Amino acid sequence: MRHAHLTPLLGATCLSLLAFQTQAGEETQQALTDLAPFEAQYRLETRGWPSATITHTLSREGSHWLTDMRFSVAIARGQEYSRFSDRNGTIRSLLYSSSYSLLGVGDSYQLNEADIPSIDRQAALVDLSRRAGHESCTQAAPCDLEFVDHRGRDEHFQYYAVEELQTVNVPAGEFEAQRVVLNDIEKPDRFLEINFHPDWPGLIVSAEYLKEGKRQTRIRLTSFTP
């Protein structure tokens, strides 16, 4: 189905994205930025589809956090959300739900804590954005990351962060961002480049999904409310 092209951005950008198996140590844990609630909107552009708006929120619910990402266009819609805990810089997935439909036909999935041996991809997005730039991950020696997709299947990516912050211009304004490049181990011709806001874990400034060197999907931040 053609709506499969939307999954890479919705799931880990709304990335087809952990219990991180990285090279981080005790000092990295202490340096991680605290989570803070926000609401954001992105413009989603996918080849062969009309543009759409993604709404992305990170909110606190008692001792837990909830990240929610959703989009809707005339013939398709999708949503993913994750409830997770954050203790001493370690994120643990508690509940993960996703649903997609095209022309009114689709599927929905839900995973409980026992179904998620590593971390779900929405919680992974928050964790990755907070850790990127604090670890010794380079293009020559990338870090490994693992997470489960909407069906609970293991996914394995590698990533590295560009050393210096980048200045990125998007409809919401000009931001300094931490650029992260990810690639699917099983699909080496595909890359995801994400510019994360360094001070708001989980917040994406922009992202592009590339296949065989051609951009398939792009999102850009259009509004941000702390």
Side-chain angles (χ1 to χ4, degrees), residues 144-155:
D144 293 320
L145 54 81
E146 298 175 358
F147 58 93
V148 299
D149 70 3
H150 55 292
R151 295 177 183 268
R153 299 171 299 193
D154 292 332
E155 297 279 0

Side-chain angles (χ1 to χ4, degrees), residues 94-140:
L94 304 175
L95 178 69
Y96 175 54
S97 178
S98 63
S99 61
Y100 301 92
S101 69
L102 177 65
L103 295 173
V105 179
D107 291 296
S108 60
Y109 306 87
Q110 181 167 301
L111 302 176
N112 296 315
E113 183 177 5
D115 304 316
I116 308 172
S118 53
I119 195 172
D120 69 80
R121 66 187 178 194
Q122 278 294 320
L125 183 66
V126 177
D127 204 17
L128 173 62
S129 69
R130 185 163 65 167
R131 292 178 180 274
H134 293 282
E135 301 161 333
S136 301
C137 308
T138 65
Q139 186 172 6

Side-chain angles (χ1 to χ4, degrees), residues 6 41-46 49-55 70-74 76 218-220 222:
L6 299 176
Q41 288 190 336
Y42 313 110
R43 174 59 59 185
L44 169 65
E45 300 170 356
T46 302
W49 286 81
S51 60
T53 296
I54 296 176
T55 300
R70 63 184 71 192
F71 78 94
S72 178
V73 292
R218 177 173 71 168
I219 71 169
R220 293 180 294 167
T222 57

Side-chain angles (χ1 to χ4, degrees), residues 28-186:
T28 298
Q29 291 287 337
Q30 296 173 358
L32 298 181
T33 303
D34 290 337
L35 301 184
F38 67 81
E39 179 173 341
Q41 288 190 336
Y42 313 110
R43 174 59 59 185
L44 169 65
E45 300 170 356
T46 302
R47 293 183 64 186
W49 286 81
S51 60
T53 296
I54 296 176
T55 300
H56 184 198
T57 60
L58 178 66
S59 56
R60 187 158 194 166
E61 296 186 337
S63 60
H64 301 150
W65 290 85
L66 179 68
T67 178
D68 184 296
M69 192 177 281
R70 63 184 71 192
F71 78 94
S72 178
V73 292
I75 60 173
R77 63 180 177 83
Q79 178 185 12
E80 292 192 353
Y81 70 84
S82 168
R83 179 173 288 109
F84 61 89
S85 63
D86 177 31
R87 296 180 180 177
N88 300 320
T90 299
I91 286 179
R92 181 177 181 83
S93 296
L94 304 175
L95 178 69
Y96 175 54
S97 178
S98 63
S99 61
Y100 301 92
S101 69
L102 177 65
L103 295 173
V105 179
D107 291 296
S108 60
Y109 306 87
Q110 181 167 301
L111 302 176
N112 296 315
E113 183 177 5
D115 304 316
I116 308 172
S118 53
I119 195 172
D120 69 80
R121 66 187 178 194
Q122 278 294 320
L125 183 66
V126 177
D127 204 17
L128 173 62
S129 69
R130 185 163 65 167
R131 292 178 180 274
H134 293 282
E135 301 161 333
S136 301
C137 308
T138 65
Q139 186 172 6
C143 290
D144 293 320
L145 54 81
E146 298 175 358
F147 58 93
V148 299
D149 70 3
H150 55 292
R151 295 177 183 268
R153 299 171 299 193
D154 292 332
E155 297 279 0
H156 183 195
F157 278 67
Q158 289 187 326
Y159 84 94
Y160 65 91
V162 176
E163 186 174 346
E164 297 182 357
L165 297 182
Q166 312 288 306
T167 299
V168 180
N169 286 289
V170 291
E174 184 177 279
F175 299 88
E176 284 198 329
Q178 175 66 68
R179 179 165 297 175
V180 179
V181 180
L182 305 99
N183 74 288
D184 188 332
I185 298 301
E186 297 180 356

